[in-house]
Amino acid sequence: MARARPRLAGGFSAQIQTTDLREQRERAAALDQSYLFIQGPPGTGKTWTGARIVVDLIRRGRRVGVAATSHKAIHNLLDEIGKAARDECVPVRGLKRCSAGNAETEYGDGDWIANVEDTSELVDRAWRVQLLAGTSWLFAHEELAGGDLVDTLVIDEAGQVSLADALAMGTAARNLILLGDPSQLAQVSQGTHPEGVGASVLEHLLGPQQTVPPEQGIFLDRTQRMHPDVCRFISEIVYDGWLVGLPELANQSTAFGTGLRFLPVDHTGNVAAAPEEADRVAREIRTMLGGSWTNRDGETRPLAQKDFMVVAPYNMQVRLLRRTLEAAGLGDVPVGTVDKFQGREAPVVFYSMATSSAEDVPRTLDFLFSRNRLKVAVSHVPGLHRRQPAPARITRAHDRADAPDQRAVSVRRDGARAEVVGHA
């Protein structure tokens, strides 16, 4: 709550920041009834790092909890923990809290995790295992309060976890490790709450800053996903210039170049769906199909439909794009909202913004021009992004000169747009 520096045993006073896995493990193991914030931008190996920290803690005789807002995220981290444990020959047995009659809540990859439907039963069996996994419903339960069962609780995708939920889950453990990125899109939620309550635990810890200070946490600064031409844009607008790509990512390229492209499309009066943009996207993809794509290993092949991804902020535009692409014989091109495609990637991504002008926006300008939303859309791209797409391609209408609120556009929205166009 106080945003204090993490407390480590032995009077550790050096900076917390390190990119060395051995040192990261030592910092996690030295937590003294405190917390560790590990900020992992797209493609930086957050899950890989978190899993290896968990395995090291278990090797040291600690019982670890694994939590997230969704069972899918929990299972993803458990998959990586299982791989790390096998690689390092560390025996691990665990229990996963699941729901009766709901197969999606059950972990089914291997026999090292047992699924348990009853919390009391899980607590009774916990003393014989090294790992417990579940959502906030498990770790906020009164039977786990006090930290007697769990030494360290690792919360994955913490950028989607509210401060209140993190505090409630934190009562189950003596130490807390928060894995995530505050610039990730938050969970969809309903309801009205007091100011500040809606912030994620990571947003609370960062305050006005975009990256965790070196004396307060760990920033994973090397992405394994984005071409330098794309990474540079994301790094500047979201991560204070600290995010860089691995050198071999510069090998990634398309016959149409790399980086961002801004494709203006003229239309007026469109609120949440723009047929003009959908038609332009279809034409662009038809033109690019069969062009060369070279991956990070220097392997080159023709671009196929599944090598493209089309993203839009609104479901109406998503449905229109699907119909348009199917009619053009491009039905295998993935189409979805920014929220749906969070974490996925493709060599070429198109981002169709749909709304004609500021006065037509169906929600708010902060939603449409959110830095976080643009970050998630653009960071899908190893090579090219187009806004109203391109190797990152982004599409939107020209601003209407007669729009009555044109001069009242927020600085945040105008800055985000300028940064995209400036990099395109």
Side-chain angles (χ1 to χ4, degrees), residues 48-311:
W48 187 94
T49 300
R52 278 143 188 84
I53 287 175
V54 168
V55 169
D56 182 67
L57 289 171
I58 291 172
R59 186 191 351 250
R60 296 170 187 257
R62 316 287 177 82
R63 184 178 294 110
V64 180
V66 170
T69 57
S70 71
H71 291 279
K72 181 179 179 180
I74 294 170
H75 295 168
N76 184 50
L77 181 53
L78 290 177
D79 287 344
E80 197 61 45
I81 291 171
K83 293 176 186 175
R86 290 190 295 272
D87 290 345
E88 301 183 28
C89 299
V90 176
V92 179
R93 306 291 293 181
L95 302 174
K96 166 75 197 311
R97 177 67 167 86
C98 63
S99 301
N102 187 345
E104 291 185 356
T105 68
E106 298 178 1
Y107 183 72
D109 189 8
D111 59 0
W112 65 286
I113 294 285
N115 294 291
V116 182
E117 297 176 358
D118 181 74
T119 298
S120 295
E121 179 187 349
L122 183 144
V123 171
D124 290 339
R125 297 171 58 181
W127 301 102
R128 298 188 291 275
V129 301
Q130 299 83 37
L131 184 146
L132 304 177
T135 64
S136 59
W137 290 100
L138 171 64
F139 292 104
H141 197 280
E142 58 183 5
E143 292 190 58
L144 276 83
D148 294 331
L149 274 179
V150 180
D151 177 84
T152 302
L153 175 62
V154 178
I155 302 181
D156 196 12
E157 305 294 358
Q160 295 186 330
V161 176
S162 71
L163 175 60
D165 279 352
L167 291 172
M169 286 191 282
T171 62
R174 291 184 287 278
N175 300 295
L176 193 62
I177 295 177
L178 302 165
L179 291 174
D181 186 3
S183 67
Q184 184 182 31
L185 295 178
Q187 275 191 300
V188 177
S189 61
Q190 295 180 340
T192 301
H193 308 284
E195 184 178 356
V197 173
S200 73
V201 60
L202 301 188
E203 288 174 320
H204 170 78
L205 288 173
L206 280 186
Q209 301 172 99
Q210 296 192 97
T211 56
V212 59
E215 68 276 7
Q216 284 195 275
I218 293 172
F219 180 77
L220 304 178
D221 61 0
R222 297 296 176 95
T223 178
Q224 304 176 55
R225 178 186 301 175
M226 292 176 282
H227 187 280
D229 292 342
V230 177
C231 180
R232 194 174 303 114
F233 165 72
I234 296 296
S235 182
E236 289 178 10
I237 71 165
V238 182
Y239 299 113
D240 297 325
W242 288 108
L243 183 65
V244 296
L246 298 177
E248 57 265 33
L249 294 176
N251 294 333
Q252 297 175 156
S253 64
T254 74
F256 311 94
T258 57
L260 277 72
R261 305 288 187 274
F262 180 71
L263 305 180
V265 178
D266 287 314
H267 55 78
T268 59
N270 292 325
V271 177
E276 298 88 347
E277 293 190 15
D279 291 339
R280 178 69 181 274
V281 170
R283 291 198 305 272
E284 291 284 330
I285 293 177
R286 289 295 293 269
T287 299
M288 298 177 74
L289 268 178
S292 65
W293 153 245
T294 302
N295 64 23
R296 60 188 290 176
D297 297 321
E299 301 166 341
T300 302
R301 61 172 175 79
L303 286 167
Q305 289 192 34
K306 292 187 180 298
D307 293 320
F308 296 85
M309 192 161 66
V310 183
V311 187

